[in-house]
Amino acid sequence: MRRQALGITSLIAAAALVLTACSPAAPEAETKTLKVVYQKTDSFTALDTLFQAAKQEFEAANQGVTVALEPIQANDDDYGTKLALALRSPSTAPDIFYEDTFKVRSDVDAGYLLKLDSHLEGWKDWDTFDAGAKAAGLGDDGGTYAVPLGTDTRAIWYNKKVLAAAGVSVPWEPRTWQDILDTARKIKASDASVVPFNMYAGKASGEGTVMQSFYELLYGTESELYDADAKKWVVGAPGFTDSLAFLKTLYDEKLAVSPAEALDANVWKKVFGEWLPQGKMGATVEGSYSPSFWQKGGSYEWAEYGQDMGVTAFPTQNGQAPGGVSMSGGWTLAVGAETKNPDLAFEFLATALNQKNSLAFNIASSQIAVREDVAADAGYQAANPFVKDVSELVAVTHYRPATADYPRISAAVQEATEAVITGAKSPEQAAADYDTAVKGIVGEAKTVAR
Amino acid sequence: MAVSLGRDRSGHRRRRPGLRRQARLLPVLPAVVLLLVFLAGPVLWAFHASFTNAALTGRNARSPGWIGLDNYARLLSDPVLPLSLGLTVLFVGGSAILGQNLLGLTLAVLMRRARRTVAAAVGTAVVAAWVLPEIVAAFAAYAYFSRDGTLNQMLGGLGIGQTDWLYSFPMVAILLANIWRGTAFSMLVYRAALNDIPGEVTEAALMDGAGGWQRLAFITIPMIRGSIATNLMLITLQTLAVFTLIWVMTAGGPANASTTLPVLAYLEAFKFGDIGYGTAVASVLILIGVVFGAAYVRLLREGKP
């Protein structure tokens, strides 16, 4: 009896399982839903604030439309991965999402992004966007696929107190790499417990290693990473070896953090949260967004940062023109190619990026504005003491080659820096291994020797 | 023994074979279907993807093409592969087959002799590490071994210099962390197995004058051979697949010094977006698991009289 009952129960259970699996999805609700995917971390909530505001504004103006905000809590690398996985299938792809500028081209290639040209034509705000920033949203076919939220630059951030204590006159304006080493050695000699000059290295810091360290070096030499005209990757570059050698000097002479600290993915938190505010670090290369961590409401509030910190351009190798180097990235908003409501999705994007929302976001996350009406706003200019300095660096800035091969090349560069600072390879050897790696990634035909 | 015989006798009722027997398989069907869809499915998909250039982004994401054995050819010439294979063998051999297995057996044997309270205290401490979710255990291990971590503070208290464990000895730290986390499983398996050894056998050996080590080698181990094989199979396969622990502690670094195969597969598939190549690495991992599994299954069969 009992066994029979058991059998019947499992039969029913099995049937129920099969039936639920086969039953069609619930009919679409009458209200339309827009799914918005973006990044949110405990130290980066500005974007969440932006979308919350845009959601309210948009839902009030469009009855019957629900905006579903789906923040992803992850660092840049993991966010990119999760987003790409979601985009792979139309059933999980978001309608609007936060997209890194250097991924735009490869994601357009993958067919993930909707071409926005026809929508942009009817959007009068589009004219207020900076022409250089607009280029970040271009696909290989010349169409625009993404709208920039803001951009950034990179510079040397130094603690005036630490430099002054070591007898360095401030404002500090290094003209060559040698100036950096001289000053760093001076700081080291005056107080051995201070980290004189930090530059990221190794794979743990990911894009931070290249954007906030290696490329400032490389683009200040006569060499470059990628020949954009020929569409070829540069190998055998003497500037590449020189840049690695500079990092080696910094780490070997203990002018930067220890290699073990550099290979901890959380090292940047210590730079912003502990070493600079506590006067334990002389200088570091970091982005224009640095004040967002220190200002009121940031994750490492530091009331005196405006007086204590100074900012200066990263110098070129021997002081050659244009006298400074910076790297720019930045993020955009894009519309999913498979969205069911392209018009509504674009309308939401336009709401999120209107003057009011852009202004609030650019201030909260210390981004460099890409809308002229935001850049001209008094509130934006007074947002932090460094807005003017870091905005001027746009004149000497560089962008990463945004090809589909780039992430792998970037990883090869990071690997080279890691091998050099850990002492596993000499700069020459690491550079040669990088060349081999690049040829393996893109094929010998797409490289050019310099 | 007696119990299992009784079950045998009632299980062999052959009054109405055929239809009824097949009907009896019906309740198993959902489980089989689930296994096929959610276990065999992904494995087959992985094998299939490893022959393509499927990618996370770029042109190949839209229309992945069949590239035959290219991924495997590339894998064989990849300098990271021998290193990664070696590290995986070291990790499985060191932390599972030697570490968890032997420590678990030792604890189980000792606990039979220990006082009840001591045994309970040790058991709870060991099982606590196992109860933690993997991500929590991984962070605990990271906090323990990191530069400002508990281990260095204790060593500092003893006046021994600080070592960057995760940087200088990443594999040692990971091996110890995995032993810490996984020993409980082996211990529980062996405790259950030891309890099944009839008292009279041990007594008889004692009467014949067998010492402690002799009893362990000639009575205990042969009698729990089946459990040893089962345990080895389970912990080997579990350890082969360990990812979170390593990823949180070292992320495969420094300079690939702790990149085991699962970490390598993740890096290739998700960090570099090369899903085809990543699944090729994963396929190699599956094959290694199959080889280990087959070896243990043989061992199990031979173990049975």
Side-chain angles (χ1 to χ4, degrees):
Chain A
M1 238 347 241
R2 211 171 187 190
R3 183 181 289 177
Q4 235 172 10
L6 198 73
I8 290 169
T9 323
S10 23
L11 264 180
I12 293 172
L17 200 81
V18 172
L19 283 178
T20 40
C22 296
S23 67
E28 221 172 294
E30 275 153 53
T31 55
K32 287 177 179 167
T33 305
L34 288 179
K35 184 164 129 186
V36 184
V37 166
Y38 56 96
Q39 189 187 16
K40 179 188 175 186
T41 68
D42 47 359
S43 52
F44 177 60
T45 52
L47 194 62
D48 190 48
T49 315
L50 167 79
F51 281 127
Q52 299 284 2
K55 172 184 158 83
Q56 271 198 349
E57 205 174 324
F58 186 77
E59 283 178 350
N62 295 272
Q63 292 296 324
V65 182
T66 313
V67 177
L69 300 181
E70 295 186 7
I72 292 177
Q73 304 240 7
N75 62 27
D76 290 358
D77 272 359
D78 294 343
Y79 171 76
T81 306
K82 283 192 127 176
L83 178 65
L85 286 173
L87 287 167
R88 273 172 75 79
S89 158
S91 61
T92 54
D95 296 297
I96 298 120
F97 51 94
Y98 180 60
E99 168 94 347
D100 202 336
T101 44
F102 85 92
K103 293 218 165 121
V104 170
R105 273 172 199 257
S106 59
D107 281 352
V108 168
D109 263 358
Y112 295 156
L113 271 55
L114 185 75
K115 196 171 189 165
L116 299 176
D117 288 346
S118 58
H119 297 277
L120 290 168
E121 271 170 28
W123 190 37
K124 59 179 185 341
D125 289 20
W126 187 231
D127 297 333
T128 67
F129 279 74
D130 175 67
K134 278 181 180 174
L138 292 180
D140 283 332
D141 61 356
T144 299
Y145 289 83
V147 182
L149 272 160
T151 184
D152 47 24
T153 56
R154 269 110 188 127
I156 298 175
W157 294 83
Y158 60 92
N159 188 318
K160 291 182 191 165
K161 285 185 175 168
V162 175
L163 264 65
V168 180
S169 64
V170 288
W172 179 47
E173 283 177 346
R175 295 285 174 220
T176 63
W177 290 4
Q178 192 58 43
D179 285 353
I180 292 179
L181 289 179
D182 291 345
T183 306
R185 285 174 186 142
K186 214 166 162 181
I187 298 171
K188 186 90 202 167
S190 97
D191 184 352
S193 73
V194 165
V195 179
F197 192 90
N198 181 54
M199 290 185 85
Y200 299 119
K203 286 189 285 187
S205 288
E207 281 297 297
T209 286
V210 285
M211 285 298 278
Q212 280 105 260
S213 172
F214 190 79
Y215 295 158
E216 273 73 18
L217 293 165
L218 182 65
Y219 284 92
T221 66
E222 307 297 333
S223 308
E224 56 185 347
L225 190 68
Y226 181 70
D227 185 335
D229 299 329
K231 296 200 170 169
K232 286 181 176 179
W233 295 89
V234 179
V235 293
F240 197 94
T241 315
D242 291 352
S243 305
L244 287 175
F246 183 84
L247 283 179
K248 185 177 170 57
T249 311
L250 273 186
Y251 278 86
D252 281 2
E253 293 186 22
K254 300 197 173 14
L255 300 174
V257 296
S258 74
E261 285 164 332
L263 300 191
D264 186 333
N266 292 320
V267 64
W268 65 273
K269 292 184 182 168
K270 286 197 161 176
V271 171
F272 284 120
E274 292 177 27
W275 293 325
L276 283 172
Q278 292 168 9
K280 295 268 170 57
M281 178 175 275
T284 189
V285 182
E286 260 300 351
S288 53
Y289 45 75
S290 299
S292 70
F293 296 108
W294 296 319
Q295 70 198 11
K296 215 164 164 11
S299 21
Y300 309 109
E301 277 187 26
W302 177 21
E304 298 85 31
Y305 83 91
Q307 300 105 58
D308 288 1
M309 292 300 291
V311 70
T312 184
F314 196 91
T316 50
Q317 186 174 15
N318 302 307
Q320 63 262 53
V325 190
S326 181
M327 292 300 301
S328 286
W331 291 72
T332 63
L333 292 187
V335 176
E338 305 282 345
T339 178
K340 290 201 189 78
N341 306 300
D343 294 334
L344 277 176
F346 181 79
E347 220 172 294
F348 178 79
L349 183 150
T351 309
L353 291 178
N354 65 21
Q355 201 267 349
K356 181 174 71 88
N357 289 330
S358 293
L359 176 66
F361 175 73
N362 288 156
I363 290 175
S365 62
S366 301
Q367 287 277 306
I368 295 176
V370 290
R371 281 181 69 121
E372 284 159 14
D373 48 2
V374 172
D377 189 278
Y380 167 75
Q381 288 171 352
N384 72 63
F386 305 107
V387 172
K388 190 165 156 283
D389 297 323
V390 295
S391 300
E392 278 169 1
L393 292 175
V394 169
V396 291
T397 204
H398 300 263
Y399 293 87
R400 283 168 286 187
T403 71
D405 292 322
Y406 173 77
R408 205 171 260 280
I409 305 266
S410 165
V413 176
Q414 294 162 32
E415 201 160 325
T417 63
E418 187 161 317
V420 167
I421 65 155
T422 55
K425 290 176 196 164
S426 68
E428 290 75 20
Q429 203 183 348
D433 287 356
Y434 166 79
D435 292 346
T436 316
V438 172
K439 285 173 193 163
I441 295 164
V442 299
E444 188 126 24
K446 285 178 89 179
T447 60
V448 54
R450 284 283 159 76
Chain B
M1 237 14 209
V3 176
S4 82
L5 271 179
R7 201 185 290 148
D8 263 346
R9 219 175 284 138
S10 66
H12 280 279
R13 280 188 295 187
R14 287 177 193 178
R15 262 178 299 170
R16 263 183 286 168
L19 194 69
R20 195 188 159 117
R21 209 162 166 195
Q22 280 170 9
R24 235 188 247 160
L25 290 176
L26 213 59
V28 190
L29 196 67
V32 172
V33 170
L34 284 178
L35 280 176
L36 283 178
V37 172
F38 292 106
L39 277 172
V43 171
L44 289 177
W45 183 86
F47 275 122
H48 173 259
S50 71
F51 294 106
T52 70
N53 57 6
L56 213 48
T57 180
R59 194 150 285 134
N60 295 335
R62 190 176 349 190
S63 46
W66 186 266
I67 55 167
L69 287 168
D70 280 10
N71 280 326
Y72 290 96
R74 197 178 128 201
L75 189 60
L76 286 178
S77 60
D78 193 332
V80 182
L81 183 72
L83 172 74
S84 191
L85 268 177
L87 289 173
T88 310
V89 169
L90 175 69
F91 183 61
V92 173
S95 74
I97 298 177
L98 289 178
Q100 294 180 4
N101 187 41
L102 289 187
L103 191 62
L105 182 61
T106 313
L107 281 174
V109 169
L110 289 179
M111 276 166 91
R112 271 161 70 88
R113 300 185 167 190
R115 265 184 225 165
R116 199 171 274 258
T117 45
V118 176
V122 171
T124 314
V126 175
V127 172
W130 193 53
V131 172
L132 291 178
E134 192 176 7
I135 186 84
V136 179
F139 273 113
Y142 170 80
Y144 182 74
F145 285 107
S146 71
R147 190 180 165 82
D148 312 320
T150 322
L151 181 59
N152 271 343
Q153 282 175 12
M154 291 195 307
L155 291 179
L158 294 173
I160 304 170
Q162 307 234 319
T163 314
D164 271 310
W165 294 97
L166 296 174
Y167 174 71
S168 309
F169 308 103
M171 277 315 278
V172 174
I174 287 169
L175 284 172
L176 288 175
N178 194 45
I179 293 173
W180 164 70
R181 181 169 149 69
T183 299
F185 183 78
S186 301
M187 187 189 81
L188 294 175
V189 169
Y190 288 137
R191 277 192 78 181
L194 291 177
N195 283 339
D196 275 355
I197 297 181
E200 41 285 18
V201 182
T202 324
E203 239 168 72
L206 209 61
M207 298 291 273
D208 288 343
W213 285 111
Q214 281 172 317
R215 261 179 290 144
L216 181 70
F218 299 119
I219 306 289
T220 312
I221 297 210
M223 288 196 80
I224 60 167
R225 196 171 154 180
S227 300
I228 294 180
T230 311
N231 182 50
L232 277 177
M233 166 130 100
L234 290 174
I235 61 174
T236 301
L237 296 183
Q238 235 164 24
T239 306
L240 261 182
V242 165
F243 168 76
T244 315
L245 191 74
I246 303 178
W247 188 251
V248 170
M249 288 179 71
T250 63
N256 291 332
S258 56
T259 305
T260 57
L261 285 173
V263 175
L264 183 66
Y266 177 86
L267 282 174
E268 293 295 345
F270 296 121
K271 182 131 193 246
F272 304 142
D274 197 338
I275 293 179
Y277 191 52
T279 48
V281 177
S283 300
V284 171
L285 189 65
I286 293 174
L287 288 179
I288 295 177
V290 168
V291 170
F292 267 110
Y296 289 136
V297 165
R298 252 191 95 106
L299 199 68
L300 264 175
R301 277 214 199 108
E302 284 170 5
K304 278 192 186 143

